[in-house]
Amino acid sequence: MKEFRLQEIFVLFYRIFLAFVFYQVARLLFWFFNKNLIRIDSVSDYFNIAYHGTAFDTTAILYVNSLFILLSLLPLVINTKKYYQKFLFYLYFITNGIAYGMNFGDFVYYKFSQARLTMAAMHVAQHEKNIAKVFLVSVVEHPFVILWFIILMMLWIFLYKKVKISERTPEKKWVYFISSVVSLGVVAALVVGGIRGDFKHSTRPINLVDANRHVKNPLQANVVLNSVFSFFRTMNTNNFREVHFVDEKFIEQNIQPYKLYKREGVEPKPNVVIFILESFSKEYSGAFNKNTKIKDFVSYTPFFDSLATQSLIATNAFANGRQSIHGMSSILAGIPTLKDAFTSSPYSNQKIQSVVSVANDMGYDTSFFHGAPNGSMGFMGFGNILGFKHYYGKTEYNNDADFDGIWGIWDEPFFQYFAKTLNTKKSPFMATMFSVSSHHPFKVPEKYAGKFKKGPLEIHEPVGYTDYALKKFFETAKKMPWYQNTIFVMVADHTNQIAYPEYEKAMNRFAVPILFYSPNPKYNLKGEISTPTQQMDIYPTLTDLMGYNKKMRSWGRSLVSDKKEDHLIVNSSGVEQFIIGDFIYLFDGKNFTGIYKLDDLGYENNLLGKINTPEIKLGELKAKAWYQDYMNRVINRKLN
C-alpha cells in the first residue's frame, strides 16, 4: 500500500480544506468590518451568500495552490522526507499567506473603493508616490485587521501541523510511479474544473459578474467574492484608464451622454418583449440584404423576413461586442465592449441605468428568460445588476426532455414557455428572451431533421430552426390578450460564421439585424432605417416609445424620435472602432491608427495622414470625447 500514496493524498486534501475554512472566516470578517455598507438581513441570507461564495473560493484557492498541489503529488520518491515536507510547508504558507492578506487588505480598502480588490487598484497604486505611507497609516488606523490576520495565520499553521505525513519509501517504484501519474491526472482535472467554476460545456469560467446571481442586492456580491478571485480574474485584462482629451462642455454638446425624449399619450403603457437571438447575423436574413447586391443571396429566415415587411428595421446596424454577454450589456443598458469587456471588468458591479431600470421605475414587471442552465454566460449575475425582477432558466422550465444536451432547452419549446409565462404577467411587462439553439455544435431536434435549409455553413440549419421557433411563438402570442399592445424587438447578440465575402469585411463582422414590430398601429413601427445604427440604440428607442419623459443616460439614440441626432457607432476589434459621419475611425486609446470612408468596410484604404478636413478633425475629437466619457463613467461609477 506504500506505493499508492493514500496518506499523502488525504493530507493534501486536508491542507486544501483548511484554506476553504479560513477563506470563510475571512468572508465573515470582511462583512463584519463593512456591515454598514453591505446590508444582509438575516443569518440564513448570510449562509446562502457564504455557500455560493465557495465556488469563488475554490477558484482562488486552486489558483494560489496549483504549484503546491503539483509538487505534493509529483512522483519524486522523496515526497515524504522531512526536508521535502518542510519545503512544502514554507511554499504553502508563503503563497497562502500573501493571498490571505489580500482579503484582509480589502476589509479596509472596500470602504474607499466600494468594490473588491482588482488589478485596477494596482494601476492606481503605481501612480501614487505615497503608497507606503498610506499603507502604514491604514495599519495604524485598523490594528484589529492586522491582529485578526496574525491570530488566524497562527491558528492555520497550528492546524496544518496537526496532521503530518510519516516517512515512507516505496518498494515497487513502477507501481508508485503509475499510481502517482493517475492520481495527478485526476487531481489536475479537478483543479481545472475548480478554477473554471464547473465542468459544464455550456458555461464559461465564472467571473466577477456571476457573483450577482446569488444575491438580493448587487452590493452583497462583494461578500460572495473574495479578493484573491477578483484580483486574479482581472489580471492583465484591465485596459480601463481615465483620459482627458476635451473639456466637459464639448462632451455635453457633441456626445450628449444624457437624453430626454418627450412623448405624449402613451397610455396604456406598451408591453415590451425583446428577443436577443444567439448568433443571428444580418448575413442570414433576406430582408436585411436587399441592398447588399450579393449575387445569388440565400435567406435562411423566412418568418423573420416576412415579419420585417410589417416592421421598422435597421438594415445598417452593428453589434457593440463579440460575445453574448456583451450583447446583453449593449442592448439592455447601452454599454458597449471595448478592448476589455465591461461585464468582466472590475467596474461591472455598479448601479446602471438601463431599459430594465427604466421599466422598473415605470411600474413594469421585468423578466429575463434564457433556456440554458441558470447562470450560463453570466446572464443571471448581470441581470441582477440591471434589476430584473424575475429570471427564468432551465431550472424553472423543469423538463430535461427538451434539453439539447449541451447548451439548454431547444428554442421552440422554450419560446412556447416564454409566451405562456408572459400570459401570467400583469401588464405592463418588459421581458427579454435570449435564445440558445443557433449555437455550436449547430444541431436541431431530431424530429426536424431535413426540415430547414442547410446551406454552406453549419449554422444555417439551426438559424432556420430558431426562425421557425419565432414563427410558432407568434402563432401562440397572437392568441394572448397582451399581444395587441406589445412592442417586439429582435436583434442578434453578435455575428457568427461567414459565407459571403461582404461579411468578411472588418466592420461587417459586427453586422446584425435590428427589428421593431408592434401589431398596434399607434406606435408606427414600419419602414427602413438605412443610416448606421447599433445595439445601443435599442435602449433609448424603447424608453422613448414607453413614454419615459425623464432624463436618461445613453450613448445611443432613439430611432423613432423627431429630434435629429447624429450616429456614433462603437465597437472593438482589439482597437476601438467608431463610425462618425461619413468615416470610420480606429483608435487605440491614445492615437488613431486608421481612418476610412464609410463604404470602406474592409479597411482597404487608410486615409490617416492623407486628408485632414474639418469633418475629419471633428470626427477625431468626437471619438476621443466619447472614449473619455466612457472611461470616466465606467471607472467612476457614473452609469446611473
Side-chain angles (χ1 to χ4, degrees), residues 209 212-213 218 325 328 332 354 356 360 366 368 378-391:
V209 72
N212 289 274
R213 292 164 48 190
I325 190 68
M328 184 179 178
L332 299 179
S354 66
V356 185
N360 285 334
T366 53
F368 188 88
F379 294 155
M380 182 180 282
F382 191 62
N384 210 349
I385 291 174
L386 295 183
F388 278 109
K389 295 176 182 176
H390 312 285
Y391 185 98

Side-chain angles (χ1 to χ4, degrees), residues 604-618:
E604 296 176 5
N605 182 22
N606 192 347
L607 302 175
L608 185 67
K610 297 178 182 178
I611 60 173
N612 198 21
T613 64
E615 182 184 356
I616 291 285
K617 290 180 179 178
L618 180 59

